[in-house]
Amino acid sequence: MAAAPPAPANSFRPPNMALTTLGLALASFMQVLDTTIANVSLPTIAGNLGASSNQATWVITSFAVSNAIALPLTGYLTRRFGELRLFTLATLAFVVASLLCGLAHSMGFLVFARALQGFVCGPMYPVTQALLLSIYPPQKRGQAIALLAMVTVVAPIAGPILGGWITDNYSWQWIFFINVPIGIFSSFVVGRQLKGRPERLEKPKMDYIGLATLVLGVGALQTLLDLGNDEDWFNSTRIVILAIVAAISLIVFVIWELTDKDPIVNLRLFRHRNFSAGTAAMVVAYAAFFSVGLLVPLWLQRNLGYTAIWAGFASAPIGILPVILTPFVGKYATRFDLRILASFAFVVMAGTSFIRSHFNLDVDFQRVAMVQLWQGLGVALFFMPVLTILLSDLEPHEIAAGSGLATFMRTLGGSFAASLTTWAWNQRGTIHHAHLTESINAYDPAIRQTVERLGQGDLQRGAFVLDRMIQQQAVQIGFNEIFHVLGIVFLVVITFVWVAKPPFAAKIGGAAAGGH
């Protein structure tokens, strides 16, 4: 297997650094945005295409499944095509897939186009990260990582708000069409600016067993996680079959990839201490962060009666401080022990979770938004230090593969979190509803009087109103319990980052320099 010799470290700079950075950042923002932009538009899409709401959820599931499969393949694809060519091809393919999504006239075709979109965009984020690290001088690579961290935070928040606004004011097709000019601009700019950049190319053999077990295992697991709540988990035959397929396939995949001489996914990257510790911290913390981003808007709509747009506005302040602080974090963070910054971030995120664990049904918009704003401080100091730590001891040619593998693990962590937290919330709500109604006796004169008053003389109506009030309180208690647990999770994650050992920034400098 012949490989071209790597270029001298730190040898290539694009003619216009700002324009190159803009092109790379826009591509990543577009790709991350599409993970959530269609969520609030599903009812409209289902209505226009004559599909049920259950069928419409496959618009989300198909994207997530194919994206999860593609992410760990990033290392193999960069070795085969090179980072620049892979970025350009993936971005242009994403444009084509987005165009197909917007032109879809049936739910089946839209699901197919979304699956294609999810697969081709899999390598975009990790390759963007590798390209940014390679073109920035060592002293400015923290700013590059901070920029991508901001994209990771802001894009999923902006997705539902932007998607709802576009759907209400134009049509749902435009949530996909807007990718076309952005993708063309990004691929053209980056391709021109990085033309002549040295690339380390190889011709790795195709690991068919690794690929097959990856597709089966990850596909089955992601589908299981997306459909589990709707199908009552292991009471469903489909979920049981998916679980068996996922377990067997992933066990075979891990054993094969660890013993194969040229694996399609390099699991040996976990031999690096900082990569293992940083990835563990990223996966668990992102899962908790993803849970917050999922539960708060749902709670605002279900319990407090907010519309989807206003729930988005109440949640959006979490992105304000990351946008403001990103330049400063990127510039000055490496002057500190990154483990201290990450620990402070997790303490802030734990604190805001504990505050939410004391929310009640009378909490106002300002308080919800303010807690979101303060969580943004933790988010601003979370992603950049942890990303820097996990990339810090990788070899130069391992950056893209390591970023892809870590992003895959992070995405899978978010999927687990989405399924487990919504399931736990529903379960705890049901349990507390049962506990709250235990002491209610229909023959108690005081209870009957209360029910009559609630129903304005109508006992049946009064019973319905009382049950709805109890249900709201039960769901609120479950919400509070979950956020108490999330606060503890954020504190536990602190132990992970302290497993890592410095230096961090110096290793990034060596790892990311030069062509790959």
Side-chain angles (χ1 to χ4, degrees):
M1 182 175 63
N10 216 18
S11 61
F12 183 85
R13 293 287 178 270
N16 190 320
M17 185 72 79
L19 188 60
T20 307
T21 302
L22 176 64
L24 290 168
L26 278 176
S28 282
F29 186 84
M30 170 184 70
Q31 179 256 313
V32 178
L33 184 76
D34 265 55
T35 61
T36 60
I37 195 170
N39 293 15
V40 297
S41 305
L42 289 185
T44 304
I45 293 173
N48 286 359
L49 297 181
S52 67
S53 57
N54 285 337
Q55 290 173 322
T57 59
W58 281 99
V59 174
I60 308 299
T61 302
S62 60
F63 182 96
V65 170
S66 56
N67 186 252
I69 292 170
L71 272 168
L73 297 177
T74 302
Y76 172 85
L77 294 173
T78 52
R79 291 167 61 198
R80 181 67 180 82
F81 298 105
E83 291 162 357
L84 177 58
R85 187 185 301 175
L86 178 59
F87 173 86
T88 305
L89 290 174
T91 305
L92 290 176
F94 188 77
V95 167
V96 174
S98 298
L99 188 62
L100 292 176
C101 287
L103 295 175
H105 291 289
S106 69
M107 182 57 68
F109 188 83
L110 177 59
V111 169
F112 164 77
R114 277 286 283 177
L116 178 63
Q117 189 187 42
F119 186 83
V120 299
C121 78
M124 286 174 63
Y125 182 87
V127 170
T128 298
Q129 189 165 273
L131 288 172
L132 275 175
L133 289 175
S134 73
I135 63 176
Y136 272 80
Q139 65 273 19
K140 292 187 176 181
R141 285 182 186 131
Q143 297 176 45
I145 293 178
L147 174 66
L148 281 180
M150 182 186 70
V151 168
T152 305
V153 174
V154 174
I157 297 169
I161 298 174
L162 183 61
W165 182 82
I166 290 173
T167 301
D168 291 342
N169 292 278
Y170 298 97
S171 68
W172 65 265
Q173 288 89 345
W174 281 98
I175 66 177
F176 301 113
F177 287 152
I178 60 171
N179 293 331
V180 175
I182 296 174
I184 292 174
F185 171 81
S186 295
S187 59
F188 176 78
V189 165
V190 175
R192 289 294 298 269
Q193 289 291 314
L194 298 186
K195 185 178 181 180
R197 174 183 178 272
E199 296 276 0
R200 172 176 173 158
L201 297 178
E202 302 177 7
K203 291 185 179 180
K205 69 176 182 66
M206 173 54 71
D207 175 14
Y208 291 105
I209 293 179
L211 179 62
T213 51
L214 172 71
V215 171
L216 280 174
V218 174
L221 178 60
Q222 187 70 48
T223 305
L224 179 154
L225 293 173
D226 282 1
L227 301 181
N229 282 315
D230 294 333
E231 303 209 6
D232 198 20
W233 291 101
F234 294 102
N235 291 321
S236 163
T237 303
R238 181 192 297 186
I239 296 298
V240 172
I241 293 173
L242 286 171
I244 294 172
V245 171
I248 295 174
S249 300
L250 290 176
I251 290 171
V252 173
F253 170 75
V254 171
I255 295 172
W256 181 266
E257 295 302 280
L258 289 175
T259 55
D260 191 56
K261 292 181 179 179
D262 195 12
I264 197 167
V265 179
N266 187 7
L267 298 180
R268 298 185 186 96
L269 293 175
F270 287 107
R271 73 184 185 277
H272 298 292
R273 178 173 182 160
N274 288 358
F275 180 75
S276 296
T279 300
M282 175 63 76
V283 169
V284 178
Y286 183 80
F289 166 71
F290 193 86
S291 299
V292 174
L294 176 71
L295 289 179
V296 169
L298 281 176
W299 167 73
L300 289 170
Q301 293 175 74
R302 291 180 182 177
N303 269 35
L304 301 190
Y306 284 46
T307 63
I309 294 296
W310 278 103
F313 285 143
S315 305
I318 197 173
I320 295 175
L321 289 179
V323 172
I324 295 173
L325 296 178
T326 288
F328 303 101
V329 173
K331 188 173 183 179
Y332 299 111
T334 50
R335 299 184 182 182
F336 304 91
D337 187 328
L338 295 181
R339 296 171 298 181
I340 295 177
L341 284 181
S343 298
F344 177 75
F346 296 140
V347 168
V348 171
M349 295 169 82
T352 55
S353 296
F354 289 135
I355 291 173
R356 291 191 192 91
S357 71
H358 295 286
F359 276 178
N360 55 48
L361 296 175
D362 295 323
V363 68
D364 58 20
F365 178 94
Q366 183 178 353
R367 182 164 173 77
V368 173
M370 189 59 65
V371 174
Q372 292 290 106
L373 177 68
W374 282 115
Q375 183 176 352
L377 175 62
V379 173
L381 298 174
F382 154 39
F383 279 94
M384 183 270 176
V386 176
L387 277 173
T388 303
I389 288 171
L390 73 86
L391 294 173
S392 63
D393 56 358
L394 296 180
E395 299 299 327
H397 58 280
E398 294 175 332
I399 290 288
S403 178
L405 185 55
T407 305
F408 161 70
M409 298 290 290
R410 187 193 75 196
T411 303
L412 209 57
S415 297
F416 269 102
S419 296
L420 291 178
T421 51
T422 51
W423 173 80
W425 190 21
N426 291 333
Q427 289 293 108
R428 297 306 297 171
T430 301
I431 291 171
H432 288 298
H433 184 276
H435 288 167
L436 291 172
T437 54
E438 281 178 355
S439 58
I440 296 179
N441 187 339
Y443 299 101
D444 187 326
I447 296 295
R448 290 181 64 87
Q449 186 178 3
T450 300
V451 171
E452 286 182 358
R453 187 169 64 252
L454 289 173
Q456 297 178 343
D458 187 334
L459 279 175
Q460 186 174 4
R461 181 184 175 189
F464 174 79
V465 173
L466 178 61
D467 183 70
R468 188 175 62 183
M469 292 172 62
I470 293 172
Q471 179 63 25
Q472 284 183 318
Q473 292 294 340
V475 170
Q476 183 63 51
I477 295 171
F479 175 88
N480 294 353
E481 288 178 338
I482 289 175
F483 271 93
H484 185 79
V485 172
L486 290 176
I488 295 172
V489 170
F490 281 122
L491 294 179
V492 170
V493 176
I494 294 174
T495 61
F496 296 163
V497 295
W498 285 95
V499 173
K501 281 191 172 183
F504 304 121
K507 272 288 188 178
I508 281 289
H516 304 287

